[in-house]
Amino acid sequence: MSSVRYLYISLFSLGLVIFAVILQQSGYQGVSFLPCPLCILQRVGYLAIAIFCFLAVGIAPFRKLFHALALLSAAYGVSVAGRQVWLLSHPETSCGIDPLEIWINQFQLSKDIPWLFKADGLCSAKLPAILGLQVPEWSLFWFSVLFLVLLVTLFKKRT
């Protein structure tokens, strides 16, 4: 894959995180979108994809390694987003406070950059749909697209 494509993927992943932060700060249809623990873990997945794709541009000898790490990050994101979509369709499995929230909020990043990494919401909370889909469903869609793009291009020759 070309350097430009890695940059596009990196910028797209960063754009999704920025959109999530804007949604968190400003809300949508008068509803505040507080990030839950699984949302924070998905942000980590998008940031990892962005970082590994950016490194693939800058460190050419290790391009395949960084590509594979970005692919693993996308697979991780698919699993986390898939879990949250499952929780949305099975709200009875939620027990109120998520023990994962306490664990995530103890990390130094949650204390240093709370607007990006602090979990405050419930994973099974139904929020207003955006263009017909819940935010976790959009996240699952975009992680799946990124996973497929990275998988298909992993063994292609660089152009």
Side-chain angles (χ1 to χ4, degrees):
M1 188 160 52
S2 69
S3 295
V4 172
R5 290 185 182 150
Y6 282 117
L7 282 176
Y8 285 150
I9 291 173
S10 184
L11 291 174
F12 182 74
S13 295
L14 286 175
L16 290 171
V17 173
I18 290 168
F19 179 74
V21 171
I22 290 170
L23 200 58
Q24 168 188 337
Q25 298 298 323
S26 64
Y28 177 69
Q29 294 182 346
V31 177
S32 180
F33 279 65
L34 295 175
C36 71
L38 293 177
C39 296
I40 298 300
L41 293 176
Q42 289 170 63
R43 289 180 187 184
V44 170
Y46 284 121
L47 290 172
I49 292 169
I51 289 168
F52 290 133
C53 285
F54 185 71
L55 289 172
V57 172
I59 307 172
F62 296 106
R63 183 167 280 165
K64 285 287 189 190
L65 172 67
F66 292 129
H67 189 119
L69 291 171
L71 179 65
L72 285 174
S73 299
Y76 157 83
V78 166
S79 67
V80 174
R83 171 69 176 155
Q84 189 169 7
V85 168
W86 185 86
L87 279 173
L88 285 175
S89 62
H90 298 87
E92 67 278 358
T93 59
S94 180
C95 59
I97 182 117
D98 195 330
L100 192 57
E101 179 179 330
I102 297 165
W103 181 74
I104 286 175
N105 288 338
Q106 289 179 352
F107 284 111
Q108 194 62 39
L109 277 174
S110 296
K111 296 172 185 170
D112 291 343
I113 315 172
W115 55 269
L116 184 60
F117 292 113
K118 186 170 191 251
D120 289 326
L122 292 174
C123 294
S124 60
K126 286 260 187 184
L127 297 169
I130 300 172
L131 299 175
L133 294 177
Q134 297 281 316
V135 172
E137 293 168 331
W138 278 114
S139 186
L140 178 60
F141 172 76
W142 288 118
F143 271 123
S144 299
V145 168
L146 290 168
F147 177 80
L148 290 173
V149 167
L150 290 165
L151 182 65
V152 167
T153 58
L154 181 62
F155 299 107
K156 280 192 171 186
K157 289 199 177 221
R158 203 177 105 186
T159 57

